[in-house]
Amino acid sequence: AQKITQTQPGMFVQEKEAVTLDCTYDTSDQSYGLFWYKQPSSGEMIFLIYQGSYDEQNATEGRYSLNFQKARKSANLVISASQLGDSAMYFCAIRIPTTGNQFYFGTGTSLTVIP
Amino acid sequence: DAGITQSPRYKITETGRQVTLMCHQTWSHSYMFWYRQDLGHGLRLIYYSAAADITDKGEVPDGYVVSRSKTENFPLTLESATRSQTSVYFCASSESGLSYGYTFGSGTRLTVV
């Protein structure tokens, strides 16, 4: 079974501090892609970052980085220097080509940035 | 405009009525998907399509019907709406390939009364 687990329903972080959002996954496939999406209160889904299962380096995109630990099957999102605009829901997702290229999403983490 | 468009943005319907949610993409992406988003469940896949005339069930297909006669359109029909189908529905498209992310539509908020 393919599964994504996000164990933090809600998180708070002080403005300008860094925060880590946890994501673990469960798949027996060797080839897969890991994604993080942001959903602000307006409702749209915004792509943040991608990590391939064969990538040896952790992915980075601006203030976002992905702490990829393959052996532990974890793909945590790190947001550095948090801003008020980072307050949103964050979803981790896995894409597995052998299952029709569909994404499996976690239940999300609600992040609130405190001024 | 290039992108993926969902319509309507908001819909209120009565129990038992048929309702169709529209999804149109302009990128000619091969894959299209329908998800529903409910609090505590994240996004759950209803149906997906790998190409025109090829569709397959996702995690929660019961009560829904899809079709894809053209690459760019992927409508979702609720045959007889129930209150449990009150949700936010997202359409997404993607190319095949591991590194391709989804492009999401803006979502349709459906309320069944």
Side-chain angles (χ1 to χ4, degrees):
Chain A
Q2 334 290 355
K3 189 176 179 182
I4 289 279
T5 301
Q6 294 181 254
T7 58
Q8 306 154 314
M11 291 278 288
F12 292 87
V13 64
Q14 205 75 36
E15 193 177 7
K16 300 180 184 177
E17 298 289 314
V19 62
T20 298
L21 306 184
D22 294 342
C23 173
T24 59
Y25 58 92
D26 181 18
T27 180
S28 55
D29 287 65
Q30 295 302 306
S31 179
Y32 50 88
L34 293 156
F35 298 79
W36 277 91
Y37 283 83
K38 172 184 178 181
Q39 186 179 41
S41 58
S42 53
E44 73 267 32
M45 297 288 287
I46 303 167
F47 165 75
L48 294 178
I49 196 166
Y50 160 80
Q51 178 88 40
S53 58
Y54 294 115
D55 294 341
E56 295 188 352
Q57 300 284 339
N58 284 341
T60 60
E61 290 284 350
R63 294 186 299 110
Y64 304 108
S65 61
L66 201 151
N67 184 1
F68 181 46
Q69 298 187 47
K70 193 170 183 177
R72 294 186 176 184
K73 294 188 175 180
S74 75
N76 298 338
L77 177 71
V78 180
I79 305 174
S80 63
S82 297
Q83 302 172 356
L84 296 179
D86 294 334
S87 294
M89 282 290 290
Y90 289 82
F91 291 95
C92 180
I94 187 169
R95 184 174 200 178
I96 303 170
T98 58
T99 62
N101 275 294
Q102 62 180 281
F103 279 43
Y104 297 87
F105 287 86
T107 52
T109 295
S110 176
L111 177 67
T112 302
V113 180
I114 303 167
Chain B
D1 290 339
I4 183 164
T5 305
Q6 287 185 239
S7 61
R9 285 298 309 273
Y10 303 92
K11 176 75 176 178
I12 300 174
T13 192
E14 294 178 339
T15 301
R17 289 199 180 262
Q18 183 182 83
V19 61
T20 296
L21 310 184
M22 305 301 293
C23 180
H24 174 79
Q25 54 115 347
T26 59
W27 283 299
S28 299
H29 285 164
S30 52
Y31 282 86
M32 295 189 76
F33 306 83
W34 274 106
Y35 284 83
R36 60 178 290 172
Q37 183 178 21
D38 305 288
L39 198 62
H41 291 281
L43 286 87
R44 293 181 291 175
L45 183 66
I46 305 170
Y47 270 95
Y48 67 100
S49 169
D53 297 321
I54 301 175
T55 61
D56 211 341
K57 295 178 180 179
E59 181 185 354
V60 289
D62 293 343
Y64 303 95
V65 174
V66 293
S67 62
R68 195 172 177 201
S69 57
K70 294 183 178 181
T71 300
E72 61 267 29
N73 296 324
F74 192 39
L76 175 74
T77 297
L78 287 67
E79 295 182 294
S80 178
T82 65
R83 289 196 179 90
S84 65
Q85 293 176 310
T86 293
S87 186
V88 178
Y89 291 84
F90 282 99
C91 178
S93 70
S94 175
E95 278 300 345
S96 63
L98 204 56
S99 63
Y100 288 96
Y102 279 179
T103 300
F104 282 90
S106 300
T108 294
R109 184 175 293 275
L110 176 69
T111 303
V112 183
V113 298

